[in-house]
Amino acid sequence: MVLLYFYTSARQSTWLMFKKKITRRTDPPAGDKNKDYVNTLLVVAALVATVTFAAGFTIPGGFNSSEPNQGLPTLAGDRKLTYFMVFDILAMQSSIVTIATLIWAQLGDPALVHTSLNVALPSLFFALLCMPVAFYFGVFVVFARVKGLVIFLDVA
């Protein structure tokens, strides 16, 4: 929400200059810096994949332990749980694409590193955007009956 506010309130040229400075390097790092850069991104992508994988199995609301719905999610009929799972899966798959691409980048060819970073960075960015959305829907599905918290989450 904060990023959206700054995006809409900033002038277009200022925002594009700010965005270009933060998200894109002007030149790819050389030599051993390539390896450190790729390894750092690989660690971040692996952490995202691990967290989203665990969140997919620890579904908000838990599971039914009695028949006839034994083993099914307690909140299976809730559409917000579906949104949680969709964003969690999107984040996990994007981070797995990032991991595969960064492993490919470790072959050492500078052109290959540059090409793989062009794929890996947007994919990791997308995964990092999907994670808080999945978290939001996870909290929203569990605390749907707490009106004050729902209003706070919608405003914040």
Side-chain angles (χ1 to χ4, degrees), residues 65-79:
S65 60
S66 60
E67 292 294 334
N69 296 327
Q70 186 174 6
L72 293 177
T74 305
L75 303 169
D78 197 344
R79 194 169 59 213

Side-chain angles (χ1 to χ4, degrees), residues 5 8 46 51 54 61 132:
Y5 170 76
T8 56
V51 168

Side-chain angles (χ1 to χ4, degrees), residues 81-141:
L81 182 66
T82 305
Y83 294 148
F84 165 78
M85 289 304 295
V86 165
F87 283 104
D88 187 62
I89 290 169
L90 285 172
M92 189 176 105
Q93 292 301 321
S94 295
S95 64
I96 288 174
V97 165
T98 303
I99 290 169
T101 306
L102 291 174
I103 289 173
W104 182 48
Q106 290 185 338
L107 294 176
D109 182 17
L112 186 62
V113 171
H114 184 58
T115 304
S116 64
L117 286 177
N118 285 338
V119 174
L121 287 174
S123 179
L124 183 59
F125 183 68
F126 181 71
L128 289 171
L129 286 178
C130 286
M131 273 181 55
V133 176
F135 178 77
Y136 169 78
F137 280 113
V139 169
F140 194 53
V141 73

